Amino acid sequence: MIDVVVSGVLFDMDGTLVDSTAVVEAAWTRFGDEHGLDPAEILGFSHGRQTIDTIQRFLPDLPRAEQQVIVDTMIAAEIDYVEGIVEVPGAATFVRRLQDLGVPIALVTSAPRELAVKRMIAAGVPVPDALVPSEDAERSKPHPEGYLRGAALLGVPAERCLAFEDAPAGVEAAVASGATTVVVGELSSPVTEGLPRIAGYDGLTVEREGSAFRVRG
């Protein structure tokens, strides 16, 4: 159950607004096969994190320059691969409703800017003007830097924001920022305990309440 009055909304992207599961799983499966690593273990760590963090976790002895080459190659392969990418149910309508009411919105993602924009467009979800991609955050999730930057772009304290997340690292980051955090999907871990949860956005309503906004669902 959600019933909160906020001044801004912060969204993760993959798994939160956009369902890119097939593309992401295929990319990490290829990486695992190429390097003799278990794809299931990679996927268990990678969700919600920047690509470089996962490469460094599983190929720690590789020189940084070579790690970056792998990152760049993987991202280049994903940028134009948008087949099968769809919105999380109700995401596009909900984002448009927020925009129509003038709710300040930011996208805070571990994906690079070009990849994030292409996936949002492919899924039919409006791209917020305020965007914090991987290249704009020195410390990736689970560090709260991205969410704090997103709130700052909106001119709203993070404590006055509502954040939507689906991954352990992302939920941890959003909670640490001080934002009221909603779990999207089926993630169940210690970090999600006591947090509100939604399967999609179809049941959410938004109304202006003075200079703020009430979100219910």
Side-chain angles (χ1 to χ4, degrees):
M1 178 68 179
I2 303 169
D3 188 353
V4 60
V5 177
V6 296
S7 299
V9 177
L10 306 169
F11 289 103
D12 172 51
M13 183 187 66
D14 286 313
T16 299
L17 290 175
V18 170
D19 183 352
S20 56
T21 303
V23 175
V24 172
E25 288 185 352
W28 285 119
T29 297
R30 286 193 300 271
F31 169 79
D33 291 343
E34 290 169 3
H35 296 278
L37 300 167
D38 181 4
E41 185 179 354
I42 298 169
L43 288 165
F45 176 84
S46 66
H47 192 42
R49 300 176 187 267
Q50 292 185 19
T51 303
I52 187 63
D53 293 337
T54 302
I55 301 302
Q56 290 176 337
R57 166 67 174 80
F58 289 95
L59 298 176
D61 298 327
L62 204 64
R64 176 59 188 256
E66 294 182 32
Q67 292 174 339
Q68 190 61 50
V69 168
I70 294 174
V71 171
D72 293 342
T73 300
M74 290 184 68
I75 290 173
E78 289 184 62
I79 281 176
D80 292 320
Y81 191 87
V82 295
E83 183 178 353
I85 292 179
V86 296
E87 66 170 328
V88 170
T93 297
F94 182 61
V95 171
R96 290 191 187 99
R97 172 64 174 162
L98 295 173
Q99 291 176 327
D100 289 344
L101 288 174
V103 182
I105 311 168
L107 188 68
V108 181
T109 175
S110 295
R113 183 180 298 273
E114 184 179 5
L115 181 60
V117 170
K118 288 203 172 186
R119 284 187 178 169
M120 291 283 282
I121 291 172
V125 181
V127 182
D129 291 335
L131 171 58
V132 183
S134 60
E135 56 264 44
D136 289 354
E138 293 181 8
R139 292 160 293 189
S140 64
K141 301 171 184 177
H143 195 280
E145 179 187 348
Y147 279 106
L148 294 171
R149 283 179 176 267
L153 287 175
L154 302 181
V156 177
E159 294 81 3
R160 293 288 300 161
C161 289
L162 181 64
F164 291 88
E165 261 287 358
D166 76 304
V171 172
E172 186 176 339
V175 170
S177 76
T180 299
T181 304
V182 176
V183 180
V184 180
E186 300 179 355
L187 174 66
S188 180
S189 70
V191 74
T192 67
E193 187 173 347
L195 298 179
R197 177 187 301 275
I198 60 172
Y201 299 88
D202 289 327
L204 297 187
T205 63
V206 188
E207 297 175 351
R208 182 176 289 277
E209 190 160 299
S211 61
F213 307 89
R214 182 177 291 274
V215 180
R216 290 191 179 102

